[in-house]
């Protein structure tokens, strides 16, 4: 007969957490929130399961509390959960990137891809990576029968390394253009491939929208 679980609740000290802020995207050492001279403590939940002899067979420990971003221009609260598996934060930490000079519609699609990846929704992230690249091609007038050819056509519109375009061709998550995308193309997409796709997309966005701006800034610095 299953043995009842025993649950224990307690208030414990709030250790610092070293993470990147999901709001201002800066790395920092996050301390517990304070109110006056009081420091907010963490809550801890421990659950133990027992076998038929009364022996503990499993224990689950969760510690959770709120931390404050150390960046004085941000000071955003961050909910932190600690367990045997590590530390999780809410909102979740996302892949960092420079959003400067990227058109709003393209930026929205790419940010959605990054948020899907952070929440372990890899198929959805892959779809949004593809959509981002589709929108880049449309924005720059790169045409072709399918996405592979449209990405290749970007080389005539902007300055992009040949190796970068070849890498885009090899990504499985780009799929085919049957009904815009085929579901089976995404069945085997996982964390690693999505991260490669996001990294590739970042470099394409840099080359298409940000390189010219950097060159112009350099020229202004050199001008008398």
């Amino acid at each position: 007969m299953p043995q009842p679980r025993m649950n224990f609740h307690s208030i414990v000290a709030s250790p610092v957490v070293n993470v990147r802020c999901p709001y201002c995207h800066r790395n920092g050492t996050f301390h517990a929130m304070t109110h006056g001279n009081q420091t907010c403590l963490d809550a801890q939940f421990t659950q133990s399961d027992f076998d038929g002899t009364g022996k503990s067979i499993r224990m689950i420990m969760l510690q959770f509390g709120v931390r404050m971003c150390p960046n004085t221009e941000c000071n955003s609260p961050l909910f932190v959960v600690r367990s045997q598996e590590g530390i999780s934060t809410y909102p979740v930490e996302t892949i960092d990137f420079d959003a400067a000079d990227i058109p709003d519609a393209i930026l929205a699609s790419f940010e959605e891809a990054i948020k899907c990846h952070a929440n372990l929704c890899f198929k959805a992230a892959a779809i949004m990576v593809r959509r981002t690249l589709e929108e880049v091609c449309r924005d720059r007038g790169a045409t072709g029968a399918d996405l592979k050819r449209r990405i290749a056509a970007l080389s005539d519109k902007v300055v992009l390394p040949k190796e970068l375009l070849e890498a885009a061709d090899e990504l499985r998550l780009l799929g085919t253009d049957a009904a815009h995308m085929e579901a089976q193309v995404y069945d085997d997409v996982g964390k690693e491939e999505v991260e490669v796709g996001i990294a590739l997309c970042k470099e394409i966005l840099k080359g298409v929208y940000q390189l010219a701006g950097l060159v112009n800034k350099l020229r202004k610095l050199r001008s008398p």
Side-chain angles (χ1 to χ4, degrees):
M1 183 176 180
Q3 298 297 308
R5 296 180 174 183
M6 296 184 63
N7 301 326
F8 303 92
H9 305 270
S10 59
I11 302 299
V12 296
S14 307
V16 299
V17 178
N18 295 309
V19 295
R20 186 168 62 85
C21 179
Y23 299 98
C24 68
H25 306 296
R26 295 185 181 181
N27 291 315
T29 300
F30 285 63
H31 293 266
M33 295 183 67
T34 58
H35 180 70
N37 295 325
Q38 301 295 318
T39 298
C40 297
L41 300 176
D42 282 0
Q44 183 171 283
F45 171 81
T46 304
Q47 176 178 285
S48 296
D49 293 341
F50 298 88
D51 61 15
T53 66
K55 180 180 178 182
S56 177
I57 57 175
R58 184 178 64 163
M59 184 177 75
I60 300 174
M61 187 279 290
L62 292 176
Q63 180 178 334
F64 44 91
V66 180
R67 304 292 187 272
M68 181 74 76
C69 177
N71 177 13
T72 56
E73 296 178 358
C74 179
N75 282 338
S76 296
L78 185 67
F79 188 72
V80 176
V81 178
R82 299 164 61 90
S83 68
Q84 292 96 324
E85 297 179 356
I87 298 175
S88 299
T89 62
Y90 301 91
V92 294
E93 185 176 354
T94 58
I95 294 174
D96 193 18
F97 77 101
D98 182 5
D101 301 324
I102 300 175
D104 290 342
I106 297 171
L107 180 60
S109 292
F110 191 52
E111 286 182 333
E112 187 169 341
I114 288 177
K115 290 177 182 178
C116 288
H117 164 267
N119 287 282
L120 309 183
C121 301
F122 300 127
K123 293 184 179 68
I127 291 172
M128 294 312 300
V129 167
R130 177 188 173 97
R131 179 175 177 178
T132 301
L133 295 175
E134 291 271 16
E135 290 179 349
V136 170
C137 292
R138 186 181 302 112
D139 179 64
R140 287 307 167 108
T143 59
D146 51 33
L147 181 56
K148 176 178 179 178
R149 291 178 175 84
R150 290 192 285 275
I151 290 176
L154 275 176
S155 61
D156 296 328
K157 308 294 182 180
V158 295
V159 178
L160 288 174
K162 178 182 177 182
E163 293 79 8
L164 186 61
L165 297 174
E166 291 176 349
D169 289 345
E170 296 174 2
L171 276 178
R172 285 189 295 122
L173 61 84
L174 297 182
T176 64
D177 279 342
H180 186 69
M181 64 187 73
E182 294 183 357
Q184 62 265 30
V185 172
Y186 296 89
D187 286 344
D188 298 326
V189 170
K191 180 176 183 291
E192 184 175 358
E193 188 164 24
V194 168
E195 289 177 351
V196 172
I198 289 175
L200 168 71
C201 207
K202 286 172 64 173
E203 296 306 314
I204 289 178
L205 293 175
K206 287 179 185 178
V208 175
Y209 298 106
Q210 296 171 335
L211 181 59
L214 290 173
V215 172
N216 289 334
K217 287 180 181 180
L218 180 60
R219 287 173 178 170
K220 289 180 181 179
L221 290 173
R222 292 183 174 179
S223 62

